[in-house]
Amino acid sequence: MELDNITAGDAAYPGDSFDQVTHEEKDKGPSQVMVNLEQVVEQEKMKELQGQKIGASDKTVPKQESGKKNRKRGRRVDADQDGDKSKKKKQVQRPNYFVSIPITNAQISSVVAEVQESVLEREPRLSKAMIPIPTLHLTLLVAYLADQEQVDLAAAALAQVGPSLARLLEGAELVLPLSGIAHFRNEVVFVALREGAHAGVLRKLADSVHACFEERGLLDGHARGFEPHLTIMKLSRAPKLRSQGIKRVDSSLYSNYASRFFGEQVVERLDLCSMLKKKQRDGYYHTEASLQLGGRRGSEPDEAELKKVSKRLVEDAIYRAVQQYKQETLQNGGAGQPPGDAAK
């Protein structure tokens, strides 16, 4: 037998070793025995080579499994990342509802209108940043309500907080004196609430409403500290102002009213309002539900009074526009005719 003709199959039998040189082989000639020994050696080498190949192939299996595990881990990481993204998306949902105390005192509305007019005389570009008079309110909390079911749940929560607020007020009216003007980063201008016992009661009232909404899971990601204020100007209402170079409301525009007393607002009711739905006929936000807390004082306004204030604002704005037009045309050598009166 030639050594070159021995294959891996010839060395694959179990138990092949040097012990396979039998007594019969010992009786053969030395040359024959040497041939047999060389065959056995060659078989052992072949077995060793085959074993290395098998071992190598065995070692590759864990690597493949490891790769699969890594891929699985990768999928799990991707899934976790997707989960994190969905959580972030859930957290950044902008609020679309709020609970408010509406301003029903005509004196407050009138002074706010006066402030707005004064500011617009000096900076007309801020007109779209002004809060419409019929929508004036103090915000107790904001929330994102995903569907009508959550809106109904919020309405039920507002109704349920009624008894606890009645105990808090003990039959007395909660009167809020509004005085002076302040701002948040010169981007939001508001009328401030005077400090006093009423401020503590108002905060307790807000806490009660907040707790009732939170128990029903309606405030996810929208829990904020309560800072009572009556917003009268807000730059975010007019985003184009930034491109016109107006990034702040100059406090000098309303400095004459920094210590002005605006009036007292009785907390008559709490409203659950939509930020996005069409406003009501009286100009106030679409109201899903209300909780009545007190009666209207005789000196406080009705709907007709609020409309009168709004009408005066419009008339004053038109008058200012006409006067400005006349002044500009006179400076340019024109006849000073108001818009619409020019010769055809």
Side-chain angles (χ1 to χ4, degrees), residues 2-285:
E2 296 292 332
L3 292 178
D4 295 339
N5 292 333
I6 298 176
T7 64
D10 297 326
Y13 295 105
D16 286 344
S17 67
F18 288 102
D19 294 335
Q20 288 179 319
V21 181
T22 62
H23 294 289
E24 293 180 357
E25 290 172 332
K26 290 179 182 179
D27 295 337
K28 296 180 181 179
S31 61
Q32 185 65 39
V33 171
M34 288 300 296
V35 171
N36 289 339
L37 285 174
E38 289 175 353
Q39 290 176 352
V40 172
V41 170
E42 189 65 24
Q43 288 175 354
E44 289 297 319
K45 288 182 179 179
M46 295 297 293
K47 285 171 62 178
E48 185 177 353
L49 290 172
Q50 188 176 21
Q52 290 175 353
K53 291 180 180 179
I54 294 172
S57 63
D58 291 340
K59 290 179 182 178
T60 60
V61 173
K63 290 183 180 178
Q64 293 175 350
E65 293 177 352
S66 176
K68 290 180 180 178
K69 289 181 180 178
N70 288 335
R71 286 195 294 274
K72 288 181 180 178
R73 290 194 193 100
R75 286 195 292 271
R76 285 198 297 270
V77 170
D78 291 342
D80 292 341
Q81 290 174 346
D82 292 340
D84 291 340
K85 288 179 182 178
S86 64
K87 288 179 182 177
K88 289 179 181 178
K89 287 181 181 178
K90 183 178 180 181
Q91 291 174 356
V92 297
Q93 290 285 6
R94 294 178 64 85
N96 54 357
Y97 282 84
F98 63 100
V99 176
S100 71
I101 298 171
I103 298 299
T104 57
N105 185 338
Q107 178 187 348
I108 297 174
S109 299
S110 179
V111 181
V112 170
E114 183 182 331
V115 175
Q116 292 179 340
E117 290 170 12
S118 176
V119 170
L120 290 177
E121 285 178 0
R122 299 178 60 185
E123 183 50 89
R125 291 180 296 175
L126 288 174
S127 59
K128 290 187 177 180
M130 300 298 168
I131 302 298
I133 297 300
T135 67
L136 292 175
H137 66 278
L138 285 82
T139 302
L140 296 181
L141 62 82
V142 297
Y144 173 73
L145 305 179
D147 49 36
Q148 188 59 43
E149 182 179 353
Q150 286 197 332
V151 173
D152 294 341
L153 192 61
L158 185 62
Q160 189 169 350
V161 79
S164 63
L165 298 186
R167 291 191 296 271
L168 174 65
L169 298 176
E170 297 179 338
E173 289 184 332
L174 178 55
V175 182
L176 306 177
L178 298 170
S179 179
I181 298 181
H183 62 84
F184 296 131
R185 300 184 303 277
N186 286 310
E187 296 176 0
V188 176
V189 180
F190 61 88
V191 181
L193 175 69
R194 275 184 180 175
E195 285 299 327
H198 55 272
V201 176
L202 179 60
R203 286 186 172 87
K204 289 180 181 178
L205 184 150
D207 289 343
S208 297
V209 178
H210 183 283
C212 205
F213 273 62
E214 193 169 40
E215 287 173 2
R216 289 159 177 76
L218 298 173
L219 294 182
D220 292 344
H222 297 294
R224 301 176 182 176
F226 175 59
E227 184 67 32
H229 61 281
L230 170 59
T231 302
I232 61 175
M233 294 177 237
K234 189 191 297 185
L235 286 183
S236 61
R237 288 176 53 86
K240 291 183 179 180
L241 289 176
R242 183 172 290 273
S243 63
Q244 299 174 18
I246 300 179
K247 300 179 181 179
R248 300 286 187 273
V249 178
D250 188 348
S251 59
S252 66
L253 294 174
Y254 53 83
S255 59
N256 292 340
Y257 298 88
S259 303
R260 178 72 175 269
F261 179 70
F262 283 70
E264 295 181 338
Q265 176 62 51
V266 176
V267 180
E268 298 177 1
R269 70 177 193 269
L270 307 182
D271 293 330
L272 173 63
C273 300
S274 169
M275 297 181 187
L276 305 179
K277 292 184 179 180
K278 184 178 179 180
K279 290 182 174 61
Q280 300 172 167
R281 292 184 62 184
D282 60 1
Y284 192 61
Y285 293 96

